């Protein structure tokens, strides 16, 4: 990977007013190596749009659901940050990895060890990064 190229990432969850989303966005900005370019921050349309606007995203890159985000952003982003409720981490991470997208997931990675092992094996098979 060219170290001079700024990475592009998307986020699922972490709407304005949530605890962990703003922390992840601030953390990614610390080294100025990646830029948020897309997101699905909330199932609530107003909160989703407000967060996307606050993050200066193009309206067409603010998605109403994470499945649409993964489908549309495949090949356009370097990684996906998952900041949703714990119970949805596995499903979202699995879909992103299956699409060949690197994943950084808020802890816990999943609710069971079996799910975590499934994600680890999938990441290895797809040659993707999976981080917590």
């Amino acid at each position: 990977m060219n170290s001079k190229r700024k990475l592009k990432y998307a986020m699922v969850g972490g709407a304005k007013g949530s605890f962990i989303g703003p922390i992840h966005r601030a953390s990614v900005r610390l080294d100025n190596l990646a830029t948020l370019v897309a997101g699905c921050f909330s199932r609530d349309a107003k909160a989703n749009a407000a967060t996307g606007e606050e993050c200066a995203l193009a309206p067409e890159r603010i998605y109403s659901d994470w499945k649409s985000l993964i489908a549309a952003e495949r090949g356009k982003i370097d990684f996906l940050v998952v900041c949703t409720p714990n119970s949805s981490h596995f499903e979202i991470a699995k879909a992103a990895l299956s699409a060949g997208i690197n994943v950084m997931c808020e802890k816990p990675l999943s609710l069971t060890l079996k799910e975590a092992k499934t994600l680890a094996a999938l990441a290895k098979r797809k040659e993707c990064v999976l981080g917590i």
Side-chain angles (χ1 to χ4, degrees):
M1 192 177 305
N2 182 348
S3 63
K4 295 183 183 200
R5 182 178 71 85
K6 201 165 193 178
L7 300 174
K8 297 174 184 172
Y9 79 100
M11 180 176 278
V12 177
K16 182 179 177 178
S18 71
F19 174 73
I20 205 63
I23 290 173
H24 278 274
R25 289 191 291 277
S27 296
V28 173
R29 284 192 306 267
L30 286 175
D31 61 11
N32 199 33
L33 296 177
T35 301
L36 179 65
V37 296
C40 173
F41 306 100
S42 176
R43 289 176 282 196
D44 177 271
K46 286 183 181 182
N48 190 35
T51 305
E53 186 176 318
E54 182 179 272
C55 295
L57 298 185
E60 65 274 11
R61 293 184 89 179
I62 303 169
Y63 298 90
S64 60
D65 63 87
W66 62 264
K67 290 177 183 178
S68 298
L69 181 150
I70 289 172
E73 295 295 330
R74 181 180 188 173
K76 297 179 185 176
I77 58 172
D78 296 295
F79 63 99
L80 177 71
V81 176
V82 180
C83 295
T84 58
N86 297 349
S87 61
S88 62
H89 290 182
F90 173 75
E91 183 181 17
I92 297 168
K94 183 178 177 190
L97 292 168
S98 295
I101 299 171
N102 299 308
V103 173
M104 295 304 296
C105 187
E106 173 58 30
K107 63 181 186 336
L109 179 58
S110 63
L111 297 181
T112 68
L113 179 58
K114 181 179 178 183
E115 288 176 344
K117 286 181 177 183
T118 297
L119 292 176
L122 180 58
K124 184 174 183 177
R125 190 167 59 252
K126 290 291 197 168
E127 298 181 346
C128 289
V129 173
L130 173 62
I132 305 168

